[in-house]
Amino acid sequence: MSVKRVALLTAGGFAPCLSSAVGGLIERYNELDPTIEIIAYQHGYHGLLTGNYITVGAEAREKAALLHKFGGSPIGNSRVKLTNAKDLVKRGLVAEGEDPLKVAAERLREDKVDVLHTIGGDDTNTTAADLAQYLHENDYELTVVGLPKTIDNDIIPIRQSLGAWTAAEEASKFAQNIIGEHRSNPRMLIIHEVMGRNCGYLTAAAAHKYREWWKQQEWLPEMGLMKERWDIHAVFIPEDEVEIDREAARLKAIMDKYGNVNIFLSEGAGVAEIVREMEENGEEVQRDPFGHVKLDTINPGQWFAKQFAEKIGAEKVMVQKSGYFSRSAAANEDDLRLIKSMTDYAVQCALEGVSGVIGHDEENGDRLSAIAFNRIAGGKKFDINTPWFEELMQEIGERVSPAPEVE
């Protein structure tokens, strides 16, 4: 396959891999064929619909390695769902009566793009596949090679998505400072709210990382610097049923003994109950263009704080969210190695005309491959039987019970 022009785009929420993945793709094309032109659509599908792109010039190619040092996305993200025409018309991205998929596909044709690299979650990558299918049916062949980005590590069937390791490490660092607030008031309840709509991976991994740090510290109980006060006392994730009264009794005993309680909470834990409560009260539940509940508008952390504060006798409650701190960080060493292997393989597939999402396929012996788009899906649950998580929960005294399925 002859490749003359490659396009890049990043979409969805940020993850600590976007900048590095963009840099890695540019570096690899430079190594293999510097004559291939590279463009980057600005702000994901928003830029594709509006025709807003930049050409990656000589200086950017020469200094692409700088992108590994930064978080965020140098080419911009947005939340644009190409099948939600009503939302796109409202935002002025397409005209009334236009098919957004057709608009985007025709833009790729006009821009003479041979390969499209999408860096995003399941919605981002399956939308790219729809574009390729449309163009194929209209006699224009486009190779689409996606890279899996999500801090939740919830893409089926990919073992490890880019950015999730870093996000967990950064959430742990955030907690190391926030939990230091436990002596700012007697009987303090601290809730560390972590991103994770449907999957508890990030919360669990962040708690695991935090306790690795916690175990390495030297303490001074005589001065009140007690390991028990700096410990995690509860971890609540969507896959684990939270029995409020049972947990309140356990946590009250900790509060009575040590004077503070620290909780790691996945923002998706208890959402079904919160939404049901709001709807019963006649309150509007706001949703994004993908139909997802806007979690920042329902404040799961505050809801859990309300449930526990009185029951455990907290005098002061602090809810702190680490999401934006974690997701906009630069990739750590583990993620950089994973990004390098995936971007190199993504370029190889692109030059061979092989479409798919790059990842270690859990359904095929964890082999690194271009996974067919029709096999990509979101919503992978975190396995609460993962050994390190079971050990964590046993150490902090929690029982693990699978959460009931929500219809």
Side-chain angles (χ1 to χ4, degrees):
M1 175 184 174
S2 176
V3 176
K4 295 181 179 179
R5 190 177 236 201
V6 169
L8 316 177
L9 67 78
T10 58
F14 277 178
C17 64
L18 297 175
S19 184
S20 181
V22 169
L25 289 170
I26 296 170
E27 286 180 307
R28 191 57 174 164
Y29 277 109
N30 281 345
E31 292 170 359
L32 297 182
D33 189 347
T35 68
I36 295 174
E37 186 178 12
I38 304 173
I39 67 172
Y41 288 107
Q42 301 294 282
H43 300 288
Y45 290 119
H46 189 290
L48 179 55
L49 288 172
T50 58
N52 180 16
Y53 70 81
I54 60 169
T55 300
V56 180
E59 184 180 13
R61 286 174 179 263
E62 180 185 350
K63 298 181 178 179
L66 289 175
L67 298 178
H68 298 303
K69 299 180 180 180
F70 290 86
S73 171
I75 59 177
N77 282 34
S78 64
R79 292 192 181 276
V80 170
K81 187 174 180 64
L82 295 185
T83 55
N84 190 343
K86 182 179 179 180
D87 175 67
L88 299 180
V89 169
K90 180 180 178 181
R91 295 163 69 175
L93 296 177
V94 298
E96 187 73 47
E98 283 188 313
D99 177 358
L101 196 62
K102 180 179 179 181
V103 172
E106 291 301 329
R107 174 63 62 181
L108 288 165
R109 188 206 298 268
E110 291 174 19
D111 292 341
K112 296 181 171 57
V113 173
D114 301 309
V115 174
L116 175 64
H117 285 289
T118 56
I119 310 168
D122 58 293
D123 284 324
T124 298
N125 287 308
T126 53
T127 296
D130 291 338
L131 289 172
Q133 181 62 32
Y134 174 89
L135 288 166
H136 173 73
E137 292 170 356
N138 288 272
D139 302 319
Y140 184 95
E141 295 305 321
L142 175 72
T143 299
V144 182
V145 184
L147 290 167
K149 172 271 327 172
T150 164
I151 58 176
D152 299 335
N153 196 33
D154 64 346
I155 301 177
I156 298 169
I158 293 171
R159 184 189 68 197
Q160 187 70 31
S161 59
L162 301 177
W165 280 328
T166 304
E169 185 177 273
E170 293 298 319
S172 167
K173 292 177 184 176
F174 182 91
Q176 290 165 29
N177 286 358
I178 294 305
I179 288 179
E181 290 280 338
H182 70 269
R183 296 295 278 172
S184 65
N185 200 81
R187 299 189 72 85
M188 186 82 170
L189 169 60
I190 296 176
I191 296 180
H192 172 203
E193 185 176 328
V194 184
M195 282 186 169
R197 177 181 299 277
N198 299 309
C199 178
Y201 166 85
L202 182 57
T203 303
H208 181 58
K209 278 287 185 184
Y210 177 87
R211 288 195 100 246
E212 285 183 343
W213 169 84
W214 175 82
K215 289 177 180 178
Q216 295 171 0
Q217 307 311 305
E218 183 177 357
W219 306 99
L220 187 58
E222 183 180 352
M223 288 298 299
L225 186 62
M226 300 171 61
K227 65 178 183 179
E228 293 86 359
R229 289 174 175 164
W230 284 81
D231 200 357
I232 299 170
H233 304 120
V235 178
F236 299 145
I237 60 176
E239 296 86 351
D240 181 17
E241 183 176 8
V242 182
E243 297 182 18
I244 299 292
D245 290 337
R246 183 194 75 190
E247 283 296 290
R250 184 179 68 83
L251 295 174
K252 185 177 185 303
I254 294 171
M255 178 70 85
D256 290 344
K257 187 172 184 179
Y258 299 112
N260 67 288
V261 165
N262 307 315
I263 297 173
F264 272 48
L265 168 72
S266 171
E267 63 181 358
V271 166
E273 291 84 351
I274 300 171
V275 169
R276 184 162 52 248
E277 183 178 293
M278 291 178 66
E279 290 177 339
E280 288 175 354
N281 293 334
E283 300 176 57
E284 180 186 0
V285 178
Q286 297 183 37
R287 288 178 165 81
D288 66 18
F290 292 90
H292 302 145
V293 173
K294 290 185 176 181
L295 295 176
D296 59 340
T297 65
I298 67 171
N299 287 315
Q302 295 293 344
W303 187 85
F304 272 91
K306 181 181 178 181
Q307 306 305 307
F308 281 110
E310 184 175 350
K311 293 178 185 293
I312 69 175
E315 290 190 15
K316 184 178 179 181
V317 178
M318 175 182 286
V319 178
Q320 293 291 315
K321 303 178 182 183
S322 62
Y324 294 109
F325 177 86
S326 298
R327 76 176 199 169
S328 58
N332 67 12
E333 291 300 320
D334 289 333
D335 263 318
L336 286 173
R337 285 191 292 271
L338 187 63
I339 291 165
K340 171 65 174 172
S341 66
M342 286 196 185
T343 52
D344 282 0
Y345 191 67
V347 173
Q348 176 184 329
C349 290
L351 295 178
E352 294 174 355
V354 178
S355 293
V357 180
I358 305 303
H360 294 86
D361 189 346
E362 291 184 308
E363 298 170 2
N364 188 22
D366 285 338
R367 179 184 175 188
L368 182 63
S369 55
I371 301 168
F373 285 102
N374 61 9
R375 295 181 54 217
I376 298 296
K380 181 174 73 173
K381 298 294 186 181
F382 173 64
D383 182 3
I384 60 176
N385 297 315
T386 301
W388 57 259
F389 182 67
E390 287 188 322
E391 180 182 348
L392 166 69
M393 299 298 271
Q394 289 169 2
E395 287 179 352
I396 66 177
E398 275 198 279
R399 291 183 296 167
V400 181
S401 306
E405 292 294 325
V406 178
E407 297 183 359

